């Protein structure tokens, strides 16, 4: 559990560093990007192995129908995340699509995982995403909405969403976690 918590702390520190210590980050110049990248990679590795190695300590027992809700929310999360990269009509519909997607992802996983390690990982990532939105909005209160593009790009976003959902479901299956109702 310690490795999981350490990974989560590293993730938060690396992502909040620019917002909470802008002068220190600016003094580091381009080298700071490398430091942050290494911290993020180390945090992801620590979270993955920390989560895998954490003992299963049940906190609550989610009902089986939550798997359906989780999968639906995950489709939504992939779609919302993709909105950050689309040049279609949906571009600029929300200010922080990637962070909103992380929130959806975290809530979806909290609905189907009732163990302590899951509460720490997904709850921690949810708290990080909420905190990130708050910090960004305080630092940059004005946001200029990008102009929408061609609707055909939104169709491509739907296709990419389904493909990414399938790939991630495949990775879950490969890792020994069946993401579909049994």
């Amino acid at each position: 559990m310690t490795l999981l918590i350490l990974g989560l702390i590293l993730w938060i520190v690396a992502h909040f560093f620019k917002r909470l210590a802008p002068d220190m980050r600016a003094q580091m110049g381009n080298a700071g990007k490398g430091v942050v990248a290494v911290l993020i990679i180390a945090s992801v590795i620590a979270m993955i192995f920390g989560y895998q190695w954490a003992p299963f300590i049940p906190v609550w027992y989610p009902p089986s129908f939550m798997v359906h809700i989780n999968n639906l929310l995950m489709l939504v999360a992939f779609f919302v995340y993709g909105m950050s990269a689309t040049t279609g009509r949906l571009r600029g519909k929300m200010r922080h699509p990637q962070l909103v997607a992380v929130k959806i992802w975290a809530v979806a996983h909290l609905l189907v995982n009732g163990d302590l390690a899951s509460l720490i990982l997904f709850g921690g990532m949810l708290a990080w995403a909420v905190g990130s939105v708050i910090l960004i909005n305080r630092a940059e209160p004005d946001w200029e909405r990008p102009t929408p593009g061609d609707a055909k790009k939104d169709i491509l976003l739907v296709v990419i969403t389904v493909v990414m959902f399938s790939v991630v479901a495949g990775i879950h299956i490969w890792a020994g976690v069946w993401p579909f109702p049994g």
Side-chain angles (χ1 to χ4, degrees):
M1 200 77 70
T2 303
L3 186 59
L4 172 61
I5 294 168
L6 175 65
L8 193 56
I9 290 169
L10 277 175
W11 176 271
I12 292 168
V13 167
H15 281 87
F16 281 3
F17 181 52
K18 177 182 175 182
R19 302 281 174 202
L20 297 178
D23 294 335
M24 184 186 297
R25 173 59 189 90
Q27 289 174 353
M28 295 174 77
N30 280 337
K33 291 180 182 178
V35 170
V36 170
V38 167
L39 286 175
I40 290 172
I41 291 168
S43 72
V44 170
I45 291 168
M47 285 188 286
I48 289 170
F49 286 105
Y51 184 73
Q52 278 185 326
W53 296 341
F56 185 83
I57 302 169
V59 176
W60 74 292
Y61 297 94
S64 60
F65 71 85
M66 286 295 184
V67 174
H68 299 289
I69 295 170
N70 172 70
N71 288 337
L72 178 61
L73 287 173
M74 287 310 303
L75 276 170
V76 171
F78 281 116
F79 184 82
V80 169
Y81 191 91
M83 285 174 61
S84 67
T86 189
T87 56
R89 302 290 304 161
L90 295 173
R91 182 170 88 185
K93 290 293 181 188
M94 72 177 59
R95 182 168 181 183
H96 306 289
Q98 291 179 350
L99 291 168
V100 170
V102 170
K103 292 176 197 177
I104 296 167
W105 166 83
V107 168
H109 282 77
L110 286 169
L111 292 176
V112 293
N113 295 289
D115 62 295
L116 183 59
S118 295
L119 293 177
I120 290 170
L121 175 60
F122 302 118
M125 292 298 286
L126 177 59
W128 163 77
V130 169
S132 292
V133 168
I134 291 168
L135 285 175
I136 292 168
N137 288 347
R138 281 188 185 161
E140 304 162 18
D142 298 325
W143 176 57
E144 190 171 319
R145 187 179 301 272
T147 56
D150 185 13
K152 291 178 186 174
K153 297 292 184 174
D154 295 332
I155 295 169
L156 179 61
L157 174 58
V158 171
V159 171
I160 291 171
T161 296
V162 172
V163 168
M164 288 308 300
F165 178 85
S166 300
V167 167
V168 171
I171 291 169
H172 278 71
I173 293 167
W174 173 78
V177 178
W178 186 254
F180 303 107

